[in-house]
Amino acid sequence: KSKIHYKSCSAVEKSQTMVYCMFNIDEHYAFSSEHGDFMAIYFDCNATTPMEPEVFEAMQAFFLEEYGNPGSRTHEYGNRAKKSVEAARREIATALGLKIGDRVIFTSGATESNNMVLFGLEDYAKKSQKNRVIISSIEHKAVLEPASELEKRGFEVVRLRADSDGQIDLDHLQSSLNEKTFLVSVMHVNNETAVIQPIEQICEILKNSQAFFHTDSAQGFGKEMNMLGNPRVDMISVSGHKLYGPKGIGALILRRRGFDKIPLTPLILGGGQEDGYRAGTLAVPLIVGLGKAVTIAFRDHATREKSCKKTREHVLSFIEKIGGMINGNPSLMICSGINFSIPGVDSEAAMLALKDVIAVSNGSACTSQSYTPSHVLTAMGFDENRVKGALRFSWSHLTPDVDWDLAFSHLKKLL
């Protein structure tokens, strides 16, 4: 609560101060380690979440002490590293209830996992004389762009319609399935609207189809888990920095079909790690962090959800007060995010007005450097003005209370 003279601290003191302020500050501001002052409360958790202190603590020793390569079999350093990697793998497998033969493949994040699926099945599709890929029109760019590349290579890509609630059109999926379909990829939770997609219904539609089903669960994994236990979900993409873990680590979860492995051709060669699915030295500290983050997510799910629902009540009251229109069906959203538009107010102007109170975005972090109208909201059928005025609020159980009266006073001049 008192001013911290950050620049005069030692390196160790700076590190300790940053960690303390990240996780203990209880006022209406967050700590800026770069400038040593306070700034707006972070409300952009769909872009990236803060790291859980337990995750940070679990990783530290693997940067400085347990630095062995898990591929080194001739000494104890390598053996301990390997055991730590396998322990993290078991944590994730246990959380999902995976069976013997199922695989957790560590990647750099959900973007790589998604690419592994779409491009990794290309050879299988050609050998099987199948050429149809079905995705949703509201996918993240990490699925949309690889699918577009497959289209350039001669594959047929069906992009499922979405309704104004924010969910895909299941009738469109049903009518699009045929014997040439080798992959259906529909995200778990949308990164812009926070709307949960009908994974269970998709599994039911696919029960008699040989097409593989993949879901990008970057936004849903560790937050909404019931749907992912369905054995008809063949592949799941996970990203560590979306579930209070480190950046630069993720996973691709693969379920066997009987005795058959999913026929993915690796994109990265040169070592044979990860059962041959992905070569390269494993990032042990990050893997340990991901495993810990997943374990905590399941352990503390109820507590986190309660905290996020409390924040959501305040957010909904704020949206009502400013006359906002929610983009999507609130009853279908996870409790830690929402997308809305303020009639007659441009999102850039609103973000500028709020910048000293809360840090928010108007869409995906992957496209925010050069703003383009949201393809998600456009696919949902909203008009241009509503799309241009859209704001995305996303928070976590670590988010401090917001002074909503202050936020309203900053925004009032635009209303």
Side-chain angles (χ1 to χ4, degrees):
K1 295 181 181 180
S2 62
K3 181 71 174 179
I4 299 171
H5 297 288
Y6 181 81
K7 292 182 180 178
S8 64
C9 295
S10 67
V12 172
E13 288 171 333
K14 285 181 179 180
S15 176
Q16 292 172 340
T17 300
M18 179 178 69
V19 172
Y20 175 83
C21 290
M22 283 172 64
F23 302 117
N24 293 280
I25 193 76
D26 61 357
E27 288 298 301
H28 298 302
Y29 298 91
F31 187 74
S32 166
S33 61
E34 181 182 356
H35 303 295
D37 53 10
F38 294 106
M39 58 186 186
I41 289 177
Y42 184 72
F43 242 64
D44 198 20
C45 289
N46 278 14
T48 190
T49 58
M51 188 184 293
E52 278 281 0
E54 281 186 70
V55 173
F56 182 75
E57 292 167 9
M59 294 168 57
Q60 288 184 83
F62 293 90
F63 282 112
L64 300 175
E65 300 165 16
E66 297 291 345
Y67 45 77
N69 186 327
S72 300
R73 297 178 292 119
T74 58
H75 50 69
E76 195 57 27
Y77 287 94
N79 290 332
R80 287 201 299 268
K82 183 177 180 179
K83 288 178 181 177
S84 299
V85 167
E86 295 311 312
R89 207 186 304 274
R90 284 194 301 273
E91 287 179 296
I92 298 169
T94 300
L96 272 174
L98 298 184
K99 299 177 181 178
I100 295 175
D102 296 339
R103 291 288 183 267
V104 176
I105 307 302
F106 291 116
T107 68
S108 62
T111 294
E112 183 187 345
S113 298
N114 294 341
N115 276 258
M116 285 178 67
V117 172
L118 274 85
F119 293 127
L121 287 174
E122 184 176 3
D123 286 346
Y124 159 79
K126 290 177 178 177
K127 291 174 184 176
S128 304
Q129 296 184 318
K130 297 183 178 184
N131 69 339
R132 176 170 286 193
V133 180
I134 300 175
I135 64 172
S136 81
S137 57
I138 57 174
E139 292 298 308
H140 189 277
K141 294 288 187 179
V143 168
L144 290 174
E145 292 187 6
S148 293
E149 178 59 31
L150 286 179
E151 205 166 29
K152 293 176 184 176
R153 299 178 187 183
F155 287 89
E156 180 187 9
V157 178
V158 177
R159 296 167 178 85
L160 301 175
R161 295 185 295 267
D163 58 27
S164 59
D165 282 346
Q167 288 193 329
I168 65 160
D169 185 335
L170 293 172
D171 290 335
H172 192 188
L173 170 61
Q174 183 76 71
S175 64
S176 299
L177 271 177
N178 62 18
E179 69 280 356
K180 294 290 187 179
T181 306
F182 69 92
L183 175 66
V184 174
S185 182
V186 176
M187 66 196 333
H188 181 193
V189 175
N190 187 267
N191 55 298
E192 292 192 31
T193 64
V195 171
I196 303 167
Q197 296 306 305
I199 301 299
E200 291 285 358
Q201 292 94 317
I202 294 171
C203 289
E204 183 64 21
I205 290 171
L206 293 176
K207 66 180 181 180
N208 295 319
S209 171
Q210 289 301 307
F212 291 104
F213 179 31
H214 163 254
T215 187
D216 176 355
S217 188
Q219 293 293 343
F221 194 87
K223 301 169 188 175
E224 198 297 314
M225 295 299 299
N226 295 332
M227 300 177 181
L228 298 181
N230 192 314
R232 188 58 185 83
V233 182
D234 298 298
M235 295 169 280
I236 303 168
S237 295
V238 179
S239 193
H241 75 105
K242 306 289 189 181
L243 55 101
Y244 315 102
K247 297 177 179 65
I249 189 67
L252 177 60
I253 295 157
L254 306 173
R255 284 193 172 102
R256 277 184 182 251
R257 288 189 176 180
F259 296 103
D260 297 328
K261 293 172 61 177
I262 294 178
L264 289 182
T265 300
L267 304 185
I268 302 175
L269 302 173
Q273 291 91 342
E274 297 300 272
D275 286 342
Y277 285 109
R278 182 188 189 266
T281 302
L282 296 174
V284 180
L286 303 183
I287 289 171
V288 169
L290 177 60
K292 177 63 72 172
V294 172
T295 295
I296 296 171
F298 280 80
R299 184 195 72 194
D300 296 349
H301 177 72
T303 304
R304 287 179 173 182
E305 189 172 63
K306 182 179 179 181
S307 175
C308 287
K309 284 182 176 179
K310 182 180 177 181
T311 301
R312 189 174 193 262
E313 291 175 4
H314 295 302
V315 171
L316 289 172
S317 296
F318 177 71
I319 293 173
E320 183 178 7
K321 186 175 182 178
I322 61 176
M325 300 182 298
I326 297 173
N327 299 320
N329 187 337
S331 68
L332 299 175
M333 299 173 183
I334 57 172
C335 60
S336 57
I338 201 164
N339 191 299
F340 66 96
S341 301
I342 310 169
V345 177
D346 182 79
S347 63
E348 298 285 345
M351 289 188 294
L352 186 63
L354 291 169
K355 70 181 181 66
D356 293 329
V357 186
I358 49 177
V360 300
S361 71
N362 57 357
S364 173
C366 296
T367 57
S368 63
Q369 297 302 311
S370 55
Y371 176 73
T372 56
S374 166
H375 70 277
V376 174
L377 301 183
T378 301
M380 290 166 63
F382 296 125
D383 62 51
E384 184 179 358
N385 289 333
R386 186 162 176 173
V387 173
K388 286 184 177 180
L391 292 169
R392 181 181 71 176
F393 281 15
S394 51
W395 55 92
S396 76
H397 59 288
L398 295 170
T399 304
D401 292 335
V402 173
D403 186 336
W404 292 107
D405 289 334
L406 180 62
F408 179 75
S409 69
H410 279 244
L411 200 57
K412 188 177 180 180
K413 59 187 175 182
L414 299 178
L415 301 178

